[in-house]
Amino acid sequence: MNVFSAVQKPILFAMGFLFLILSSVAYSQPAQTPPQRIASLNICIDQLLWELVPHERLVSISYLTAHPMWSPIAAQVRGIPLNHGLAEEIVPLKPDVIFAGEFDAPEAVALLERLGNPVERLPLPRKLADINRQILQLGQLVGAKEKALAMTQKNSAQVAELQVAARQAANTTQQPLTAFWYSSNGVVIGDGTLEHELMLLAGLHNLAAERGMFGFNQLDLELLLSAKPQILIIEEGTAEAFSLAREYLAHPALSNAGFKIVRLPAGLSGCAASVLGDVAVALKQELAK
């Protein structure tokens, strides 16, 4: 027995046809277009964006990114509009997205948000694992997932090489080599930092952490010498950019102390995500000498 009347059949047929059309329209919708006009208030995010997206999509970057003392891509970014973290510099550019770090320009960011501008804040990486997460998050936000994944894979491979080198070194020495990571103005870097994690990966014993130091701490030269580190790790930018740091490093007591000075590329303390791989490779090579 046919349960549908002659009137109901055309109605049901029309409803099914309409459902088919709506379904095909839904499935044919293009993927969300990634932001084409990108502004950034953060020097570290700038360096990642430089690797992830076509440069013409960058409508404004931090002025620090154009300064050779602070940025390894300073010479490359000439011609890109610069900002000083001010909302009035960003609003006229009508960006599709504005990136800021965790602590960047809070008043400017709040004003930008009140004006309806799309702001994405990225947290500061505090652990090695945070670095790859930040890169992947940024890649997702700008439509560059494949490039971001390739960057994280390269980072992971270089950190793994550091672990292999540390194991090889452990087979030739009974005790880990003792070290300080020495920063500007006589500051040593202790526990709870990316530098400390890299030292452990390299098979080093961090004398600052042994003394209960957390984060960045100033250490008198006399105390540093009395600890008798076997290695002193220095970031190149630290030695060149701060006169007081140069005075510390040029002190006769240091030059005659007998420990090995390992010089690494600058930037880990400021922009870990963009320089992690370079620092890991350099640390491995230096310790192998």
Side-chain angles (χ1 to χ4, degrees):
M1 178 180 177
N2 190 346
V3 296
F4 298 115
S5 69
V7 175
Q8 289 174 317
K9 284 182 179 180
I11 294 175
L12 290 170
F13 177 79
M15 290 176 62
F17 183 67
L18 179 60
F19 177 77
L20 179 63
I21 292 175
L22 292 175
S23 299
S24 63
V25 169
Y27 280 111
S28 64
Q29 288 292 331
Q32 185 176 4
T33 303
Q36 297 302 300
R37 298 181 59 78
I38 301 171
S40 167
L41 311 180
N42 183 278
I43 179 177
C44 303
I45 296 173
D46 291 346
Q47 293 173 38
L48 293 178
L49 289 170
W50 194 254
E51 297 294 327
L52 290 172
V53 301
H55 302 156
E56 60 269 18
R57 288 168 60 186
L58 302 176
V59 297
S60 184
I61 58 175
S62 169
Y63 76 100
L64 293 173
T65 306
H67 198 304
M69 181 182 291
W70 307 110
S71 168
I73 61 172
Q76 303 172 50
V77 300
R78 291 174 182 168
I80 304 291
L82 306 177
N83 70 74
H84 299 75
L86 302 175
E88 53 265 38
E89 297 172 311
I90 302 298
V91 172
L93 300 173
K94 298 180 180 179
D96 298 323
V97 65
I98 303 162
F99 288 107
E102 186 173 348
F103 304 107
D104 289 330
E107 293 181 0
V109 168
L111 177 57
L112 287 166
E113 290 177 330
R114 284 200 302 272
L115 294 173
N117 294 274
V119 179
E120 293 284 351
R121 273 198 179 277
L122 299 185
L124 179 70
R126 291 173 171 81
K127 298 286 185 180
L128 284 174
D130 296 339
I131 293 175
N132 280 350
R133 276 197 291 268
Q134 185 188 68
I135 294 171
L136 292 173
Q137 179 186 6
L138 187 59
Q140 175 75 30
L141 291 169
V142 299
K145 292 188 288 185
E146 291 185 4
K147 282 188 177 181
L149 181 60
M151 289 175 67
T152 62
Q153 290 172 337
K154 183 178 178 181
N155 276 347
S156 298
Q158 290 170 331
V159 169
E161 288 180 8
L162 191 59
Q163 292 174 307
V164 171
R167 286 194 293 268
Q168 292 173 343
N171 293 332
T172 60
T173 58
Q174 292 184 346
Q175 295 293 331
L177 296 173
T178 58
F180 280 117
W181 195 301
Y182 199 53
S183 187
S184 60
N185 304 327
V187 168
V188 295
I189 304 177
D191 202 353
T193 62
L194 293 166
E195 290 84 351
H196 177 67
E197 284 194 75
L198 280 172
M199 291 175 77
L200 294 181
L201 281 174
L204 299 175
H205 182 68
N206 186 352
L207 291 172
E210 180 188 80
R211 283 157 175 71
M213 294 180 176
F214 191 91
F216 295 75
N217 303 262
Q218 194 161 32
L219 186 69
D220 291 339
L221 183 59
E222 294 80 3
L223 293 176
L224 183 144
L225 293 171
S226 66
K228 297 180 179 180
Q230 294 167 284
I231 292 176
L232 198 66
I233 301 173
I234 299 168
E235 292 180 49
E236 286 290 357
T238 297
E240 296 171 3
F242 299 90
S243 60
L244 184 55
R246 278 203 304 271
E247 290 179 13
Y248 270 96
L249 297 174
H251 196 287
L254 281 180
S255 59
N256 297 320
F259 45 66
K260 178 179 181 179
I261 294 181
V262 172
R263 298 181 183 273
L264 300 179
L268 185 68
S269 301
C271 298
S274 58
V275 301
L276 172 63
D278 293 337
V279 170
V281 169
L283 186 57
K284 170 180 172 288
Q285 292 173 343
E286 286 288 337
L287 294 176
K289 292 180 180 178

